[in-house]
Amino acid sequence: MSEGIEVRVNDVGDILYLRFKKARINACREFGDLRNLDYDGEGELIGVELIGLAGGVSLQGLPEADRIREALLAHGPPELRIEGDEVFHPIQTRPAPAP
């Protein structure tokens, strides 16, 4: 199923979204303010949203944490860093617009 895996990073919002498959989201389960998991109608994991990666986001306590970690290692951007259960991604700073 790895051919459908996609990782997107939104540097402005400091958000990473890991999508396992294209499907309609039926339910979203929140794990605190920084971690959300999306499920389809059959209860299968569709995607994972991690917020605040510059400071690190823990995968500990998430359902399928090992699967999520492996997918991020295999498909995440090169600047993504995983240390144990923590996931980090540096925020790309953009130059301020000229006056």
Side-chain angles (χ1 to χ4, degrees), residues 21 23 27-28 35 44 47-48 54 57 63 68 72 75 78 82-83 93:
K21 67 177 191 173
C28 178
R35 308 172 310 164
E44 266 192 64
V48 179
V57 177
I68 294 166
L72 289 172
H75 302 281
I82 300 177
E83 297 176 4
T93 55

Side-chain angles (χ1 to χ4, degrees), residues 14 17 40 47-48 51 63-64 68 71 84 96:
D14 195 15
Y17 191 78
D40 66 12
V48 179
I51 304 166
E64 302 188 55
I68 294 166

